[in-house]
Amino acid sequence: MCYKILILALLAIVGLINANIYLEEKFENENWDDTWIYSKHPGKEFGKFTHTAGSFFNDAEADKGIQTSQDARFYAVSKQFDAFSNEDKPLVVQFSVKHEQNIDCGGGYVKLFDCSLDQTDMHGESPYEIMFGPDICGPGTKKVHVIFSYKGKNHLINKDVRCKDDVYTHFYTLIVRPDNTYEVLIDNEKVESGNLEDDWDFLAPKKIKDPNAKKPEDWDDKPTIPDPDDKKPEDWDKPEHVPDPDATKPEDWDDEMDGEWEPPMVDNPEYKGEWQPKQLDNPNYKGAWEHPEIDNPEYVPDNKLYLRNEICKLGFDLWQVKSGTIFDNVLITDDIELAHNAAAEVKNTQAGEKKMKELQDEVQRKKDEEEAKKISDKDDDEEDDDDDEKDESKQDKDLNDHDEL
């Protein structure tokens, strides 16, 4: 038994040794921006990140990240690391997002770049390899972007991946495998998965409609036909509207002045609409004609859709209307289990955040009640003063009236 435990422990150690961590950033100290570079791209009004755990948290130190701090700003900051390729290895991109401002419109994603990026000029049009993470704007846009660059063009996922829209910390994880499969996880729970070729339009379709095929002229695709023996009843045709039988000519109606009086029209209860013959099953019905397909000569398979030949920079390139998002726990690795373990504490983090926020909300609620009571009491006092002034004015008037007598 002890021998088996020892073997398992050794295997775990070997796994850790073989694991590659290309980037790990927990923003543990306030000098984080010594290794991150702000963009200075002209024509953009950029905001600054602050180092903080936010207004509610589970651990005041461990939960510190970088927070957007100015409303209606672009944010562009990036970090370089040793270049790598994910050839024949999994690629895992993971980070945490906390929209504690209850974001109304803004991005919460990261971009991975090759080494050609000029970090001081990073902007929305800078070419990237992968864009991944949540994006929220109003009730209509609450999705997780998963975008890959392929042959110079950005390709969006064909599925709608829903993101979290509350105010607590959430881990977003993208796993891309060498077999061209992928997974998207939120808080270590799989929310989407599939095959890269199926869920992105990287390649031309395998099949196309045969351009030489045409529907035969005698192809009957009508499931029913009118009954040739069905005849319209003789009393079918009735007008849709008839004069109101209960209407009477007004007494003051002058035919010479007002013209000939006509009763208003009302719906005819006997109107049956346009007559249609009964339908019968069509004996010649062949079903819906399907255009035959052929192999697409432009389709070229690619078993390396997953491959990123060079990645060496990660950036936050965002626009936010309402600031306050905190980014943290950035991890790029080829070790899926390592990433899973790194996100495993998210439930505890969320529980601590919720507990603290609920206490803050309760304090605020009581404060608001006290303020409302003060305003109400002040209004009551002012009403009493008005009543006293009215009484004094009435007494003065009575005295003046008495003196005149």
Side-chain angles (χ1 to χ4, degrees), residues 199-229:
D199 294 344
W200 281 263
D201 296 328
F202 296 124
L203 309 178
K206 291 182 179 180
K207 299 282 187 179
I208 58 171
K209 292 180 179 180
D210 184 351
N212 297 318
K214 295 181 179 179
K215 185 172 73 170
E217 293 182 1
D218 61 347
W219 188 278
D220 196 337
D221 55 8
K222 296 185 289 292
T224 62
I225 57 174
D227 182 354
D229 299 324

Side-chain angles (χ1 to χ4, degrees), residues 235-251:
D235 63 346
W236 183 273
D237 290 329
K238 302 288 183 182
E240 185 176 356
H241 301 99
V242 294
D244 185 354
D246 298 324
T248 58
K249 180 178 177 181
E251 293 181 359

Side-chain angles (χ1 to χ4, degrees), residues 120-134:
T120 61
D121 192 48
M122 183 179 71
H123 55 91
E125 301 302 317
S126 299
Y128 58 83
E129 290 291 319
I130 298 174
M131 175 173 153
F132 170 64

Side-chain angles (χ1 to χ4, degrees), residues 128-283:
Y128 58 83
E129 290 291 319
I130 298 174
M131 175 173 153
F132 170 64
D135 189 17
I136 295 175
C137 198
T141 301
K142 295 183 179 181
K143 63 184 177 182
V144 178
H145 281 301
V146 190
I147 305 175
F148 293 98
S149 174
Y150 183 71
K151 295 184 177 181
K153 182 180 177 181
N154 295 333
H155 294 264
L156 284 68
I157 190 171
N158 295 330
K159 296 179 176 178
D160 184 18
V161 187
R162 185 82 172 181
C163 70
K164 300 293 184 180
D165 60 354
D166 57 50
V167 297
Y168 304 108
T169 294
H170 295 286
F171 275 71
Y172 288 84
T173 309
L174 171 64
I175 302 172
V176 183
R177 293 185 173 88
D179 62 357
N180 282 332
T181 61
Y182 74 97
E183 290 182 28
V184 176
L185 297 88
I186 301 179
D187 299 338
N188 268 347
E189 296 179 2
K190 183 166 63 176
V191 295
E192 195 52 81
S193 63
N195 184 280
L196 295 177
E197 183 172 348
D198 296 337
D199 294 344
W200 281 263
D201 296 328
F202 296 124
L203 309 178
K206 291 182 179 180
K207 299 282 187 179
I208 58 171
K209 292 180 179 180
D210 184 351
N212 297 318
K214 295 181 179 179
K215 185 172 73 170
E217 293 182 1
D218 61 347
W219 188 278
D220 196 337
D221 55 8
K222 296 185 289 292
T224 62
I225 57 174
D227 182 354
D229 299 324
D230 191 20
K231 304 297 182 183
K232 181 170 67 172
E234 293 182 359
D235 63 346
W236 183 273
D237 290 329
K238 302 288 183 182
E240 185 176 356
H241 301 99
V242 294
D244 185 354
D246 298 324
T248 58
K249 180 178 177 181
E251 293 181 359
D252 59 350
W253 187 274
D254 188 326
D255 289 340
E256 292 183 1
M257 295 292 294
D258 301 324
E260 183 180 356
W261 180 81
E262 295 181 357
M265 304 297 282
V266 295
D267 292 338
N268 184 358
E270 296 182 0
Y271 176 69
K272 298 177 182 180
E274 183 181 354
W275 182 81
Q276 297 286 347
K278 292 184 293 186
Q279 296 289 304
L280 300 176
D281 290 338
N282 184 358

Side-chain angles (χ1 to χ4, degrees), residues 23-29 31-39 48-49 66 76-81 95 110-111 119-120 122 313-317 327-332:
L23 173 63
E24 185 174 26
E25 178 64 85
K26 295 184 177 180
F27 302 103
E28 293 174 322
N29 63 73
N31 297 324
W32 64 273
D33 52 0
D34 288 346
T35 56
W36 289 75
I37 296 177
Y38 277 104
S39 175
K48 291 292 185 179
F49 287 93
I66 56 171
V77 66
S78 61
K79 182 170 183 175
Q80 183 169 349
F81 45 89
F95 63 105
V110 297
K111 293 181 178 179
Q119 292 174 262
T120 61
M122 183 179 71
K313 294 170 186 176
L314 177 142
F316 295 100
D317 176 30
F327 298 97
D328 198 6
N329 302 296
V330 179
L331 177 64
I332 304 177

